[in-house]
Amino acid sequence: MLEIKNLHVRIEEDGTEILRGLNLSVKAGEVAAIMGPNGSGKSTLSYVLSGKEDYEVTEGSITYNGEDLLEMDVEERAAAGVFLAFQYPVEIPGVPTMTFLKEAMNAQRKQRGEDELTTPEFIKRVRAAAGDLKIDFNMLKRPVNVGFSGGEKKRAEILQMSLLEPKLCILDETDSGLDIDALKIVSDGVNHLRDPNRAVIVITHYQRLLDHIVPDSVHVLSKGQIVKTGDKSLALELEAKGYADIIDTAA
Amino acid sequence: MTAHTPRILTEAETALIAAFETAGFADAVEARAAAIESLKESGLPTRRVEAFHYTDLRALMAAGYTLAKRPTDEIAQSSGDAFPRLVSDAAVLHFRDGHYFDRGEELPDGVSVVAELPEAPAVTNGAADAVAAINTAFSIGGTTVTVAPNADVARTVGLAHAQTGAADTLGAIRNAIHVGKGAKCSFVDRGVGPNGVRYLFSSHTDLVLEEGADVSFVMSIEEGDAAQRLSRLNVTLHKDAKLNLFLLNAGGKLVRQEIEFDFMGEGADLNIAGINLIGGEAHIDVTSRITHHVPNTTATETFRNVATGRGRGVFQGQINVRQAAQLTDARMACNTLLLSDDCDFSAKPELEIFADDVQCAHGATVADLEKSYLFYLRARGISEVTARRMLVKAFVAEVLENVGDEALAERLEGIIDVWMGQHV
């Protein structure tokens, strides 16, 4: 589903190179965990996949379902099924969450040539998904993420993910700022979306999240490259030995 | 001894004087003549006149206007058709090209209307009073609206001015509204006109709130994209009076809207909120002056502006607190979104405070749309243009909450949506 080859990316503003020849392949149905120390390029990878403008790809390619992902606009990628659950979801004052959800769902349907959802059908879907994630429906009457706690913001991201039914989910440190109960709810939400036709990339610092969302593959990112790939046992090894050991061995 | 060099009149000044001379007004002759004399003497204001520093009328006003003739009843009827009412059950006073049309609408209990031109505004400050001078010289239609003391008026009263589409005409109206002691009522004052037709519209409204009166006043300026509009609203607030004013600017090529408030009684409260949408080649100027003459009054002023294209926006907010006006509480905020490289907005707060125990605050911000918000919305599949409109709407929506009538707020939102569809 996703094929990243020799990807080099730098920050547009100051030219700092962040990704230096990254290779990664994720198949449909796969849950891939990407782990790595601070500053290794994890968030940059998630932004480049979703199309944020502040980065410049200087070399390499990203192929998504046979298409050149780098040629697609941000909203085209979303409609094609790429979803980024943000590490720090922004608060957008004045835009009601329900309006936002409806616009997003219908915009994607429109781009895919599907009919727009009727209001009752839309509300039905939101109620059901919010119930699963233990999100108070009244919270969704507030502006997007405004006044939400850290945990509520992360749950709201997973709510959007389950409503938009993406094909490639990228979870950028979704576990940060979550207490144990919230971690369970969010993980259940993600596991619920596991599907043979859907790939999930879980970006995290800690093994803890991977106890709940069990990965098929684990990739260690260091200095802009994948330096080691393994199965779920690699995450346990990282937890026991720390990054330094693994990275040194790999290098 | 000073040598007096006669000033060369601009085309616009010459055209105004010529229009006056051919009009042959038979009423309010002295006031009109004095106003035109002031115009001849001082001319239209330039940047050198402080109150017009950002709006050089002498440079901006076009020439070649003639006074509008009274349109036929059929034209008067049809010219309003494109603009459905903002308040469905309002009692509307109709003006077309500056002429008053009594269409026999039933007035709500407690409201009476006399169809006579009210007294002209004072023209004492030369070029600085140009807006008042033009209105004094040219007003054709006008009414005096009286709301009886203690009336709780059930339906909104509308003042609707529509331009019929006659090009190069000048139309002017003047209204006086007197709200009696303890009365409660609401007004919608609206100016509309077709796009692509050059016309000049002048409007002057005197609004007096007697003791304890409670008034909601909504102004919606939707002039055509080639229109020039010069208008003033003068408000006097007596003891414990309460005014909620909302101003929407969503049209016109050149708009100068002056709003002036005098607090004459303790305990009075004023809330002004406004949205200025400035796109294309528009130049929109809102100039406000609030004078606290007595102690214990409160005023809040909030404007949200959106400029794009080659639009130029101006907000001047003057707050005067006289020496006697202790315990004044005045707050002013002016926030602007600049959406293009070629638009601009000038915000000038002016505080003149002679009392020592007062609270006055003012703030102005200018920004572009927040990039991280745009990215977040687009990352969910929302197109860039829809995302931009959602964010602009969010920016102005907060101010729209000041309109208490929800159905009316929705209609105004519709006007904002139309503007965004053309400019964002």
Side-chain angles (χ1 to χ4, degrees):
Chain A
M1 175 176 278
L2 182 72
E3 197 69 47
I4 304 176
K5 281 186 184 154
N6 189 32
L7 189 67
H8 289 257
V9 172
R10 61 182 186 196
I11 297 173
E12 206 168 55
E13 202 180 315
D14 59 12
T16 313
E17 191 166 50
I18 308 285
L19 299 183
R20 305 178 172 97
L22 184 142
N23 292 292
L24 177 70
S25 172
V26 184
K27 289 192 287 292
E30 184 178 344
V31 173
I34 294 178
M35 303 182 73
N38 289 325
S40 57
K42 298 191 302 294
S43 286
T44 298
L45 176 62
S46 73
Y47 284 141
V48 171
L49 286 171
S50 52
K52 202 170 186 204
E53 280 165 356
D54 313 342
Y55 300 93
E56 190 187 349
V57 176
T58 52
E59 219 183 315
S61 66
I62 306 177
T63 313
Y64 168 72
N65 284 333
E67 287 190 68
D68 182 357
L69 192 71
L70 295 172
E71 283 298 304
M72 297 162 80
D73 282 339
V74 181
E75 53 267 39
E76 279 179 84
R77 296 181 197 200
V82 177
F83 181 95
L84 168 65
F86 284 74
Q87 183 180 2
Y88 303 110
V90 290
E91 301 189 6
I92 309 183
V95 176
T97 307
M98 288 300 273
T99 308
F100 159 65
L101 291 175
K102 198 172 179 196
E103 284 286 349
M105 288 171 78
N106 281 333
Q108 293 203 13
R109 295 176 72 88
K110 213 170 125 189
Q111 287 186 68
R112 292 193 296 253
E114 299 163 17
D115 285 341
E116 292 196 355
L117 290 171
T118 63
T119 301
E121 176 60 24
F122 163 72
I123 290 182
K124 203 176 108 191
R125 289 190 188 199
V126 176
R127 270 191 195 283
D132 289 344
L133 289 160
K134 303 197 167 46
I135 291 172
D136 182 1
F137 193 72
N138 284 320
M139 206 172 94
L140 304 178
K141 291 175 182 162
R142 302 217 296 257
V144 177
N145 293 322
V146 174
F148 290 16
S149 70
E152 284 171 335
K153 283 179 187 165
K154 295 299 172 76
R155 266 185 279 168
E157 292 291 292
I158 304 304
L159 171 74
Q160 292 170 34
M161 195 165 98
S162 61
L163 289 170
L164 294 168
E165 300 174 329
K167 294 197 187 84
L168 174 65
C169 310
I170 305 150
L171 309 180
D172 187 5
E173 299 199 22
T174 295
D175 48 342
S176 68
L178 290 186
D179 61 32
I180 297 164
D181 294 341
L183 187 69
K184 180 85 175 54
I185 294 167
V186 164
S187 305
D188 286 350
V190 175
N191 286 328
H192 194 69
L193 286 166
R194 287 181 87 142
D195 184 292
N197 298 314
R198 181 174 286 141
V200 181
I201 295 175
V202 183
I203 293 171
T204 182
H205 274 294
Y206 304 108
Q207 202 272 333
R208 191 180 62 165
L209 178 66
L210 304 179
D211 283 342
H212 298 279
I213 306 172
V214 181
D216 300 304
S217 59
V218 174
H219 309 266
V220 180
L221 183 61
S222 170
K223 293 178 186 149
Q225 286 185 326
I226 301 288
V227 295
K228 190 163 186 180
T229 293
D231 60 14
K232 63 182 176 187
S233 64
L234 178 57
L236 293 167
E237 199 185 329
L238 279 170
E239 185 82 350
K241 296 187 182 168
Y243 285 114
D245 210 31
I246 299 279
I247 290 164
D248 288 347
T249 320
Chain B
M1 203 181 98
T2 50
H4 196 77
T5 321
R7 202 174 48 78
I8 297 163
L9 296 173
T10 65
E11 278 185 54
E13 289 161 353
T14 310
L16 287 168
I17 293 161
F20 182 79
E21 278 161 4
T22 52
F25 285 106
D27 62 334
V29 180
E30 269 176 48
R32 290 182 197 273
I36 213 75
E37 207 47 52
S38 161
L39 205 61
K40 276 183 192 163
E41 183 86 6
S42 322
L44 291 166
T46 64
R47 296 174 59 89
R48 265 178 268 161
V49 176
E50 171 125 17
F52 286 85
H53 185 70
Y54 304 99
T55 300
D56 188 326
L57 279 192
R58 198 175 290 176
L60 289 168
M61 279 188 70
Y65 295 109
T66 55
L67 197 71
K69 294 192 175 62
R70 187 178 174 86
T72 63
D73 285 354
E74 294 80 63
I75 289 173
Q77 171 77 40
S78 63
S79 57
D81 290 349
F83 304 93
R85 291 182 179 217
L86 296 179
V87 177
S88 53
D89 69 343
V92 179
L93 309 177
H94 297 270
F95 300 87
R96 298 290 183 267
D97 294 351
H99 295 263
Y100 176 61
F101 286 78
D102 182 352
R103 303 254 293 269
E105 297 206 18
E106 193 193 336
L107 293 169
D109 286 347
V111 176
S112 57
V113 174
V114 176
E116 268 172 32
L117 200 59
E119 202 183 318
V123 181
T124 49
N125 298 315
D129 272 344
V131 170
I134 288 172
N135 188 274
T136 295
F138 293 103
S139 267
I140 315 165
T143 61
T144 297
V145 179
T146 307
V147 180
N150 300 314
D152 187 351
V153 181
R155 287 154 58 219
T156 294
V157 174
L159 303 156
H161 186 270
Q163 175 74 15
T164 64
D168 297 331
T169 55
L170 186 174
I173 64 171
R174 186 154 70 233
N175 292 300
I177 302 171
H178 189 265
V179 182
K181 203 170 161 176
K184 191 171 186 302
C185 54
S186 56
F187 296 90
V188 173
D189 179 351
R190 192 179 189 201
V192 301
N195 286 333
V197 180
R198 205 175 65 142
Y199 61 89
L200 172 62
F201 174 53
S202 152
S203 163
H204 183 98
T205 307
D206 280 314
L207 173 62
V208 177
L209 279 68
E210 294 293 351
E211 185 178 335
D214 182 350
V215 175
S216 154
F217 199 98
V218 171
M219 290 185 81
S220 185
I221 299 176
E222 306 156 56
E223 305 293 349
D225 59 10
Q228 310 213 338
R229 172 184 169 120
L230 307 174
S231 46
R232 186 189 280 194
L233 172 68
N234 273 358
V235 180
T236 307
L237 294 112
H238 290 287
K239 190 174 182 293
D240 296 327
K242 192 170 160 15
L243 173 65
N244 186 19
L245 174 74
F246 184 83
L247 172 62
L248 172 64
N249 260 306
K253 172 109 192 304
L254 167 66
V255 175
R256 163 83 171 191
Q257 176 66 53
E258 300 176 346
I259 47 178
E260 299 215 9
F261 308 85
D262 286 285
F263 280 100
M264 304 308 290
E266 287 194 43
D269 175 55
L270 169 64
N271 182 44
I272 308 164
I275 296 172
N276 297 311
L277 306 176
I278 308 135
E281 300 277 327
H283 180 116
I284 293 177
D285 172 331
V286 174
T287 293
S288 144
R289 183 158 69 202
I290 302 173
T291 307
H292 299 264
H293 299 271
V294 296
N296 257 318
T297 57
T298 51
T300 311
E301 192 167 18
T302 315
F303 277 93
R304 291 277 163 100
N305 317 295
V306 182
T308 184
R310 291 165 53 81
R312 296 176 65 97
V314 179
F315 172 73
Q316 303 186 101
Q318 200 182 97
I319 299 175
N320 301 308
V321 181
R322 295 286 157 84
Q323 200 165 1
Q326 300 295 352
L327 302 174
T328 289
D329 187 331
R331 279 154 215 285
M332 183 162 65
C334 177
N335 309 111
T336 305
L337 277 183
L338 295 181
L339 300 181
S340 71
D341 291 341
D342 294 326
C343 65
D344 70 51
F345 196 93
S346 307
K348 184 173 81 171
E350 277 179 282
L351 269 55
E352 211 177 81
I353 303 169
F354 291 104
D356 51 19
D357 188 9
V358 301
Q359 291 203 43
C360 285
H362 67 85
T365 62
V366 177
D368 191 355
L369 288 176
E370 175 65 40
K371 271 184 153 183
S372 63
Y373 298 175
L374 269 176
F375 176 63
Y376 190 83
L377 297 176
R378 292 178 67 199
R380 297 299 179 251
I382 297 169
S383 72
E384 187 173 1
V385 64
T386 306
R388 290 176 74 84
R389 285 176 189 166
M390 283 172 82
L391 294 175
V392 170
K393 185 76 157 285
F395 175 74
V396 297
E398 213 176 306
V399 178
L400 205 54
E401 282 170 18
N402 287 279
V403 178
D405 179 340
E406 274 185 35
L408 173 57
E410 251 176 60
R411 298 274 166 87
L412 296 172
E413 207 179 309
I415 296 168
I416 295 167
D417 286 341
V418 169
W419 183 87
M420 286 202 302
Q422 290 161 351
H423 296 282
V424 178

